[in-house]
Amino acid sequence: MTLNFEHVTLGQRVRFGTGKAAENLSAEVERLGARRIMLIASESDAPMAAAVSSGVDVVLHYHDVAPHVPIEKAEKARAAAIEHDADLLVCVGGGSTTGLAKAVAMTTALPIIAVPTTYAGSEATNVWGLTEASRKATGVDDAVLPVTVIYDAELALSLPAHLSVASGLNALAHCIDSMWAPRADPINQALASEGIRALAAGLPLIKDNPADLAGREQALYGAYLSAVAFASAGSGMHHKICHVLGGAYNLPHAQTHAVVLPYVLAFNAPFAPHAERRIAAAFGSDDAVTGLSDLRSALAAPTSLKEHGLNEADIPEAVELILPAIPASNPRRVTAENLDELLRAAYAGSTLPGSTETATTGTATTRDKETSHA
Ligand SMILES: NC(=O)c1ccc[n+]([C@@H]2O[C@H](COP(=O)([O-])OP(=O)(O)OC[C@H]3O[C@@H](n4cnc5c(N)ncnc54)[C@H](O)[C@@H]3O)[C@@H](O)[C@H]2O)c1
Ligand SMILES: O=C(O)CCC(=O)CC(=O)O
């Protein structure tokens, strides 16, 4: 294989230290010379945010966070930032909270320090998402990339095991989709491979014992790598599917990723042998689908979209919305028919047509005639 690619590395400071979030936040605020902080955290994460920000000056404690960043919430938060003359945004929470900070940064150009408490990875990307009239729009803007990320594995100790698993599989999806996303290259694939290894090591430890700090550290490290890979490689087929489902039908983000991932992997893997080998090697497995399947079994991962609120009657509309968004880089040609089959299988948690076994428990084969590209 010849090496011929263009790669952009985003500039961002990372401070990783277990039990050190408050100390690291104070140091960063001082380094940036900020005096008027807008602290964004959901109502339920507010006590954690208060502890993390105990050493800095906060002019506004802002709690009106909602999944998928509804535009009305974004506009309200933007107005509040201006009204309080904020000079720095600090967000403490999951991807929804980081997403709201990004929405504010988009129009105000305020810097963000992100303190993530899940494994969604939004803190390490220049990707924003906003939902308006039941449609989720995403885009890229360097203004929304947090200047600093403060990682502290202790902050995720309160994240219940089932949410940790779903969120960790959201991160794993960043890694796997990066293998065939529009700007996939050897650098982001290497980051994605190490992300898969770290997540596959950390998540079972968390599942067995949510207080396991070594597992939490591995998962957080993997989540960061996954997000850097995703920001660099762009959104592949998997992310396009999940964004439509999340925005149009208000499905929970991490759980949707967790359910859809094995179906997309089983769909693409036979057409992407190079990516398939890398994913398998990262799992330490004979093949990629089995590697993911074994991990999902160990994690008791969510298996169907119907259990997370999708109506079967919405599938034809979802196919129409997703199909135009599938990137040309996808290794397998996506048609209305095979996408409909994939969504119906993910809806029911059943075997993906074209696979010899269920996507969650076996190796994919296909009888289609497309050739492989990745
Ligand atoms: N822009 C990007 O690059 C990017 C990447 C990934 C995800 N996202 C976005 O992030 C959102 C999803 O993020 P998410 O999966 O983190 O969900 P979330 O932020 O909605 O959090 C899920 C729930 O977990 C709670 N929670 C968070 N941390 C906790 C903790 N440590 N202990 C206990 N409870 C905790 C939250 O309060 C919330 O109720 C979606 O809108 C998604 O589109 C964006
Ligand atoms: O910020 C967004 O809403 C878009 C990016 C995103 O959600 C990544 C993901 O699907 O995990």
Side-chain angles (χ1 to χ4, degrees):
M1 190 178 72
T2 57
L3 286 182
N4 184 13
F5 62 90
E6 181 179 329
H7 176 89
V8 176
T9 297
L10 299 175
Q12 180 181 63
R13 183 176 302 257
V14 170
R15 286 180 178 250
F16 203 112
T18 300
K20 291 189 166 177
E23 181 189 324
N24 281 334
L25 179 62
S26 295
E28 274 304 287
V29 169
E30 190 172 334
R31 190 182 70 81
L32 294 171
R35 296 278 176 275
R36 301 184 62 78
I37 293 170
M38 174 172 173
L39 179 67
I40 304 178
S42 69
E43 205 74 66
S44 56
D45 298 333
M48 183 159 53
V52 168
S53 62
S54 54
V56 300
D57 294 330
V58 175
V59 292
L60 174 60
H61 292 263
Y62 196 86
H63 302 308
D64 196 6
V65 174
H68 301 301
V69 196
I71 186 75
E72 305 77 24
K73 303 263 185 209
E75 283 169 359
K76 199 175 138 214
R78 289 164 175 169
I82 292 167
E83 188 191 334
H84 288 80
D85 196 20
D87 63 2
L88 176 68
L89 306 169
V90 173
C91 52
V92 181
S96 299
T97 305
T98 312
L100 184 64
K102 286 177 160 184
V104 176
M106 246 172 113
T107 56
T108 60
L110 286 170
I112 303 173
I113 296 179
V115 189
T117 63
T118 69
Y119 307 116
S122 179
E123 67 281 354
T125 81
N126 57 356
V127 180
W128 54 263
L130 284 168
T131 303
E132 186 168 13
S134 292
R135 294 290 177 268
K136 182 163 185 173
T138 63
V140 171
D141 183 343
D142 285 349
V144 309
L145 178 74
V147 290
T148 304
V149 185
I150 291 175
Y151 283 115
D152 180 343
E154 279 185 1
L155 299 181
L157 286 175
S158 51
L159 193 65
H162 71 282
L163 283 183
S164 302
V165 163
S167 187
L169 290 172
N170 181 188
L172 195 69
H174 298 331
C175 298
I176 289 178
D177 218 26
S178 290
M179 295 290 182
W180 41 62
R183 299 185 302 279
D185 66 39
I187 297 175
N188 48 48
Q189 288 177 332
L191 293 166
S193 291
E194 172 63 356
I196 293 170
R197 188 209 59 74
L199 289 160
L203 293 176
L205 298 177
I206 297 171
K207 168 76 172 66
D208 289 349
N209 175 15
D212 187 316
L213 264 180
R216 293 283 182 190
E217 284 188 339
Q218 282 299 304
L220 204 54
Y221 165 64
Y224 168 71
L225 294 173
S226 82
V228 176
F230 164 64
S232 171
S235 287
M237 173 183 180
H238 171 86
H239 282 74
K240 294 300 183 188
I241 291 173
C242 293
H243 292 171
V244 167
L245 296 178
Y249 311 113
N250 204 24
L251 302 194
H253 182 82
Q255 292 86 339
T256 302
H257 275 274
V259 171
V260 171
L261 184 60
Y263 292 96
V264 173
L265 179 60
F267 181 87
N268 272 343
F271 297 85
H274 178 69
E276 196 278 336
R277 288 292 80 215
R278 291 199 76 146
I279 297 166
F283 277 124
S285 175
D286 286 345
D287 69 84
V289 172
T290 303
L292 178 59
S293 172
D294 288 351
L295 177 65
R296 286 173 48 78
S297 298
L299 299 177
T303 52
S304 77
L305 291 176
K306 71 179 168 196
E307 75 194 87
H308 292 292
L310 184 67
N311 294 316
E312 194 169 13
D314 287 328
I315 291 177
E317 181 192 55
V319 168
E320 275 180 36
L321 294 170
I322 294 165
L323 204 52
I326 300 290
S329 65
N330 199 63
R332 179 174 178 184
R333 191 163 61 85
V334 183
T335 64
E337 291 69 34
N338 60 27
L339 182 57
D340 185 88
E341 283 179 346
L342 186 154
L343 291 181
R344 284 185 194 280
Y347 166 80
S350 61
T351 307
L352 179 65
S355 299
T356 51
E357 299 171 56
T358 66
T360 50
T361 58
T363 304
T365 61
T366 179
R367 291 162 193 83
D368 287 10
K369 294 202 173 58
E370 296 99 328
T371 50
S372 50
H373 307 290

